Amino acid sequence: MSTIMLVFIWALLISAFLCLYRIAMGPTPPDRTVGIDILGTIVVGFCAFMSLYTGKDYYMNIGISWALLSFIGTVALAKFLERRSFDE
Amino acid sequence: MSETIGYIMITVGVLFDVLGCVGLVRLPDVYNRLQAATKCVTLGTCLILFGVAVMGFGSGQNAMAVKSLICAAFVLITSPTGAHALARGSHKAGVPLWQGSVIDQYQEYEETKS
């Protein structure tokens, strides 16, 4: 059972590094923003997985707050890309 | 029994996550990347969270399971909203489509509106 846990951890780490590649190499700013958004969602999955692995439930609190903060950051970056002011 | 179901759901979810990130790297322009990555990663993360919920209810850790369901609801609400705002923002910012794209209905809608 520990082996399959290790395989899951490495798969999620590889996905996070693919997102980091897109953030580093993205030719336009929206590409980098897509990478940041997807990286946030993968970190939420990783928090759920760590909660299962250690048996502690407070990792899920980190996941919930990370999901909400990542959403706020994505929407703020999208409004910035659209060149609108923030009080519109 | 619940442990087996949970492990199957987590395995499928991790597979969807990895394939979505491969799509994020391999596809040609920002709209294709958004399409592949957002849908695959939302489904994969929600499957991981539902699998954790099933295993938590099965092993008596109810706090973990309920928080995982709440987190799945948040991801299901916020991820498509963020992707929609991002696609609209990048279209308004003038990011060009891939040269093999055949249709741009948002552009046609903007032209008929004005």
Side-chain angles (χ1 to χ4, degrees):
Chain A
M1 210 52 85
S2 171
T3 313
I4 191 167
M5 290 268 183
L6 218 57
V7 171
F8 289 158
I9 285 180
W10 274 106
L12 284 180
L13 269 178
I14 287 169
S15 348
F17 273 104
L18 289 176
C19 289
L20 284 180
Y21 171 80
R22 180 49 64 199
I23 293 172
M25 295 291 169
T28 60
D31 287 310
R32 299 171 204 268
T33 313
V34 173
I36 292 168
D37 186 21
I38 300 306
L39 187 61
T41 313
I42 283 178
V43 167
V44 172
F46 200 81
C47 284
F49 192 66
M50 285 306 291
S51 166
L52 184 67
Y53 185 60
T54 59
K56 306 278 194 297
D57 59 347
Y58 52 77
Y59 281 103
M60 289 315 300
N61 299 343
I62 305 173
I64 292 171
S65 44
W66 199 298
L68 293 176
L69 286 176
S70 161
F71 168 66
I72 290 171
T74 306
V75 170
L77 278 170
K79 285 196 79 160
F80 170 71
L81 288 173
E82 214 173 325
R83 290 185 175 78
R84 278 157 63 185
S85 61
F86 282 101
D87 53 351
E88 223 178 299
Chain B
M1 182 61 194
S2 68
E3 195 165 347
T4 312
I5 295 174
Y7 270 114
I8 289 172
M9 287 174 84
I10 291 176
T11 309
V12 176
V14 168
L15 201 62
F16 268 100
D17 270 4
V18 173
L19 289 180
C21 286
V22 169
L24 180 66
V25 170
R26 288 289 297 162
L27 284 175
D29 71 342
V30 62
Y31 307 103
N32 286 323
R33 281 172 200 147
L34 198 59
Q35 150 118 352
T38 305
K39 284 197 289 196
C40 279
V41 174
T42 304
L43 178 62
T45 305
C46 282
L47 275 177
I48 292 176
L49 289 166
F50 283 136
V52 169
V54 167
M55 289 175 75
F57 277 129
S59 64
Q61 288 171 310
N62 288 324
M64 186 171 91
V66 171
K67 280 174 190 171
S68 158
L69 287 180
I70 292 171
C71 195
F74 280 154
V75 169
L76 273 179
I77 293 170
T78 59
S79 184
T81 314
H84 171 79
L86 202 51
R88 191 167 177 272
S90 54
H91 197 283
K92 286 268 176 69
V95 177
L97 272 71
W98 182 47
Q99 72 264 16
S101 304
V102 292
I103 193 166
D104 187 1
Q105 285 194 327
Y106 188 54
Q107 185 73 34
E108 292 169 10
Y109 170 71
E110 290 285 314
E111 282 167 1
T112 54
K113 200 174 64 174
S114 62

